Every structure is written in structure tokens, then in C-alpha cells.
Amino acid sequence: MSVGFGVGLGLKAPLLAGELVRLEPLGHRHVAELAVAAEENRGSYEFTWVPRADEVRAYVDAQLGRAATGQLAPYAQVSTATGKAVGVTAYWEPRSWVTDDRLDAVEVGFTWLANSAQGTGVNAEAKLLLFRHAFEEWGVSRVDLKTDARNARSRAAIQSVGARFEGVLRNWSRSWAPGEEGRLRDSAIYSITAAEWGECRAGLEARVRARLARGNSGADGLS
């Protein structure tokens, strides 16, 4: 069993392996494949921080720098179908409210996928792996996710994995939209609580089973 860490000890997480995706701790070995993934059709990245190919090494360096502070645990999303990195995701903003050595809440964020990996079940299983580890290994009471309030595609994807909408926090975080450098955005906030995890897990597992039964090629909406 892996160990969960609260704010005082730093946020860490192990490799998480599924049938469709393997979440590997992000490293420089992923740079070349992520550079290719980031340059596929970028039409869905209007409100999302996704580096260009020549920015990926600096992007990885920045994420590893955040990881060194204990506030971020970044992953490369590696497709089991191709063996290649097709995106990034992370745990971040760990919160310990009761005691410093227990993790009570964490956010899943910094997520993006190559266009070819969207709708293949990778997102659904990645969320299953991340949520399961947070709830069942770390014993958190809450996992939250947020996105630009204008990002309808991202909001639909978050709701599709079982998270509940809590509201919009105005001027809550940095905007990643082109032309909005230095500005703040309104953020739509979603969460899953420990009491809701069983139902959420069953739904995600069913989606992954359905994808495996069909084969993991071809898009199927927001999974």
C-alpha cells in the first residue's frame, strides 16, 4: 500500500496503471512524445494550458519545480495502446485540515490530452485511477476539479466522470485564454466527496469496461 502525505510532508504519488492508460510520474523522458501530442489538433485547448512543442521541456521543468515544493504530483498519461505519452495530469493543492500528517482534500488538475486520445476512454480511466488512489489509499474526504467557467467542453467532461458542480468563483485563477495574459478568469468548481465515491467509482468502472469491450480505438464522446 502506498502512503499518502499531507501538506507538512509533501504531496507524492506512485505509478498508477490501468488497462487503457498508465499514469507515470512526469519526467524528461516524456518530453519528445508530449511535444508530438501537444501539436495535434489544438482546437480544444482554447482555455487550457497546453505547451507548444518547443515549450514542452520548459513546461516539464516548471511542473517538476512545483513538484519539488510538495504541492504538485504531475503525471504523464501514457496510452497502453501505443506505449506513448499522450498528455499530462496531476494531483495538486493538498489540504490537511485536521492534522498535518493526514491528507484531507486534493485537487486533480493540470490535465490535457492529445486530440487523438480524447474520446478513447483514457480520460475516464485516468480519473478512475486518480480518484481511487486519493480516496482508498490516502483516505481523503474530497477531490475537487476546476476549469474556466467558459470552457463548456471541459465542464461536460468533468461532469461526465461523476463530479458535482458547486458554483463559479469569480476572478479565481489565472486565465489561459489567448489574449488574456495577466488577467484572471472565473472558475467553475466541481467535487466528489468520500460519501459519493462508491457511486462514482461504479460509473467510471462501467465506462472503462464498455470501452475495453469495444476496443480502445475510435472516439466515443467525452470519455
Side-chain angles (χ1 to χ4, degrees):
M1 177 180 294
S2 60
V3 179
F5 296 85
V7 173
L9 297 177
L11 182 62
K12 299 180 181 179
L15 181 148
L16 301 174
E19 298 291 332
L20 301 172
V21 65
R22 185 170 64 253
L23 301 181
E24 299 179 356
L26 183 67
H28 290 109
R29 68 189 182 280
H30 300 116
V31 167
E33 292 172 358
L34 289 174
V36 173
E39 287 299 329
E40 292 184 9
N41 185 332
R42 294 177 61 89
S44 63
Y45 301 154
E46 182 180 3
F47 300 106
T48 305
W49 180 30
V50 180
R52 303 302 307 229
D54 61 356
E55 298 170 336
V56 170
R57 182 166 293 276
Y59 171 89
V60 170
D61 286 341
Q63 295 298 71
L64 294 179
R66 291 180 177 89
T69 71
Q71 297 301 296
L72 181 78
Y75 285 105
Q77 301 192 71
V78 178
S79 167
T80 60
T82 65
K84 295 182 178 181
V86 293
V88 172
T89 192
Y91 290 117
W92 77 301
E93 289 198 354
R95 279 147 285 156
S96 294
W97 292 313
V98 180
T99 64
D100 287 342
D101 61 356
R102 174 183 169 80
L103 187 63
D104 294 307
V106 69
E107 182 168 336
V108 169
F110 287 102
T111 300
W112 62 269
L113 277 174
N115 184 72
S116 62
Q118 297 175 23
T120 65
V122 165
N123 180 57
E125 188 173 46
K127 294 300 191 294
L128 172 63
L129 295 171
L130 291 164
F131 296 164
R132 185 170 63 197
H133 186 78
F135 284 116
E136 299 180 15
E137 298 295 332
W138 287 337
V140 302
S141 296
R142 169 191 173 94
V143 171
D144 41 76
L145 308 94
K146 67 174 180 283
T147 189
D148 192 306
R150 299 167 294 180
N151 192 341
R153 181 182 179 87
S154 178
R155 293 181 66 167
I158 290 172
Q159 289 180 290
S160 78
V161 299
R164 296 192 181 185
F165 176 59
E166 294 187 326
V168 173
L169 298 180
R170 297 177 297 167
N171 288 345
W172 183 251
S173 56
R174 175 180 177 177
S175 174
W176 297 105
E180 294 186 359
E181 292 77 8
R183 292 173 56 182
L184 298 176
R185 75 181 193 191
D186 294 348
S187 293
I189 310 298
Y190 296 81
S191 72
I192 300 163
T193 67
E196 297 161 350
W197 167 234
E199 180 180 356
C200 176
R201 175 175 175 165
L204 288 171
E205 289 175 338
R207 288 177 61 184
V208 172
R209 285 195 302 270
R211 164 52 65 182
L212 290 169
R214 291 193 300 271
N216 57 6
S217 61
D220 65 346
L222 296 166
S223 62

